[in-house]
Amino acid sequence: ITVIFIFAVLRTAYGLTSSDLTTLDSAVREVVPGNVALLVRLAFHDCVGGCDGCINVNNPSNAGLEPLVEDLDAVYVANSLDTLVSRADFWAYAGQFALARAITNTNLACDTADDNCPVPDLNISFQTGRVDCDTAPYTDADVGLPSSHIPYANLTAFYADNFGLTEEESVAIMGAHTLGGAEIDNSGFSGVWVRGGAQLFNNDYYTLLLDDTWRQRDVSDDATDPRWQWNAAGVGMMLNADMCLIKEVELDDDGESSCSYDDCAASDGASIVQNFAASQDDWLEKFASAFTKMQATGDFVLSDVE
């Protein structure tokens, strides 16, 4: 149903033919399996500095994305998608498709007794007009991706400056971390954000932030290069950038907090986290708004093709 919704948006918004839609959809389907979280991550990383279909794979913050970019480009070229959309548009569509797939996964796994089921469509409209950088899909530009230890005030300022997000939207877009996790070989961090829910899209991320069993630990095996993250047994993993949404963590240069979850004061975003934990609908509304603004960032004009 979710994929059909995307088709309906494309038919009314772009005027693409049924054959065009089949080509675009088939190309994305080749890449989506096993890559739902990565496709959403790529959509975000591409739009920092402007959505331009280009990624600096030599930037450590983009570790793990290169194989996905290669796969996307293979189907982009093989299917002559440049006659339909730019790479940046294709990546944007793939990110939206991945979110739709995650919602489908969530609804298939829904417990009928759960008030948050089913998860409704995000109703994010796909538009075209993004312009690729001259060297797409790769670049050596450093667009200033945020640190995993970024404090709350800097985090919300980053989203405001880059995407024009409000404070609520900034906290909402972090909910994309309900998908996927971190790998030692990529970021140095380890684990899924939501244990048992890495392929699902719901507000569990916010619910789990309220768990009082979080403890910070260094998961690095190199004493000279620590990787401080938060873990809760049977719950999941959070980075400092996640934990700052609920707690005013006090970090040293390595990311180690001087206060525990119990002792850290509530952050300025705590009330927003509590609201999103209580109301999935409120979160979904703000997330959709934030994701739409993010995907409209750049030196281009988006339009609905008539």
Side-chain angles (χ1 to χ4, degrees):
I1 294 175
T2 305
V3 174
I4 292 173
F5 167 77
I6 292 179
F7 283 176
V9 170
L10 288 172
R11 288 193 183 99
T12 57
Y14 305 115
L16 298 179
T17 67
S18 297
S19 177
D20 293 336
L21 291 173
T22 300
T23 300
L24 188 61
D25 183 59
S26 296
V28 175
R29 283 178 178 274
E30 290 184 45
V31 182
V32 165
N35 287 319
V36 167
L38 278 178
L39 285 165
V40 177
R41 180 184 173 210
L42 177 64
F44 165 62
H45 284 225
D46 181 42
C47 289
V48 176
C51 315
D52 62 359
C54 289
I55 286 289
N56 182 349
V57 295
N58 296 314
N59 184 332
S61 295
N62 289 321
L65 287 176
E66 186 170 9
L68 175 63
V69 172
E70 291 174 351
D71 290 345
L72 283 169
D73 216 52
V75 297
Y76 183 83
V77 172
N79 292 281
S80 301
L81 296 183
D82 61 318
T83 62
L84 302 178
V85 291
S86 66
R87 282 181 173 84
D89 284 337
F90 182 49
W91 291 5
Y93 176 82
Q96 292 183 20
F97 190 101
L99 287 171
R101 176 62 60 84
I103 290 175
T104 298
N105 292 341
T106 306
N107 290 337
L108 288 173
C110 263
D111 180 346
T112 54
D114 187 343
D115 291 340
N116 284 331
C117 284
V119 178
D121 292 318
L122 289 172
N123 293 332
I124 297 174
S125 296
F126 175 55
Q127 297 174 296
T128 59
R130 299 168 188 83
V131 179
D132 292 341
C133 79
D134 293 339
T135 56
Y138 302 110
T139 180
D140 58 5
D142 181 0
V143 296
L145 291 163
S147 165
S148 58
H149 302 316
I150 190 170
Y152 184 77
N154 296 52
L155 181 75
T156 53
F158 170 85
Y159 283 123
D161 293 344
N162 280 270
F163 306 139
L165 303 192
T166 66
E167 184 177 3
E168 275 191 300
E169 289 169 339
S170 297
V171 176
I173 204 167
M174 290 293 289
H177 278 176
T178 193
L179 296 169
E183 296 182 11
I184 288 285
D185 291 341
N186 292 333
S187 63
F189 300 103
S190 178
V192 296
W193 276 276
V194 179
R195 182 70 59 86
Q199 298 296 316
L200 307 181
F201 193 74
N202 52 36
N203 68 335
D204 282 356
Y205 171 82
Y206 301 97
T207 302
L208 298 186
L209 276 170
L210 302 180
D211 189 283
D212 62 3
T213 63
W214 291 105
R215 299 293 181 268
Q216 199 186 39
R217 60 187 288 252
D218 178 11
V219 295
S220 173
D221 57 6
D222 182 355
T224 66
D225 189 23
R227 287 290 187 272
W228 290 96
Q229 65 179 50
W230 297 79
N231 288 85
V235 174
M237 178 276 298
M238 295 288 172
L239 303 174
N240 283 322
D242 301 302
M243 193 56 64
C244 79
L245 302 181
I246 188 71
K247 292 291 184 176
E248 194 173 307
V249 289
E250 302 168 5
L251 307 176
D252 63 16
D253 291 342
D254 291 327
E256 182 178 8
S257 176
S258 63
C259 59
S260 68
Y261 184 91
D262 291 336
D263 296 335
C264 289
S267 82
D268 289 341
S271 62
I272 302 174
V273 170
Q274 291 164 349
N275 178 51
F276 290 161
S279 174
Q280 181 165 271
D281 287 344
D282 284 358
W283 168 59
L284 290 171
E285 178 185 352
K286 294 299 181 183
F287 180 89
S289 175
F291 203 81
T292 298
K293 288 182 179 180
M294 179 192 79
Q295 291 199 316
T297 302
D299 188 16
F300 49 74
V301 177
L302 291 177
S303 62
D304 298 334
V305 179
E306 298 179 359

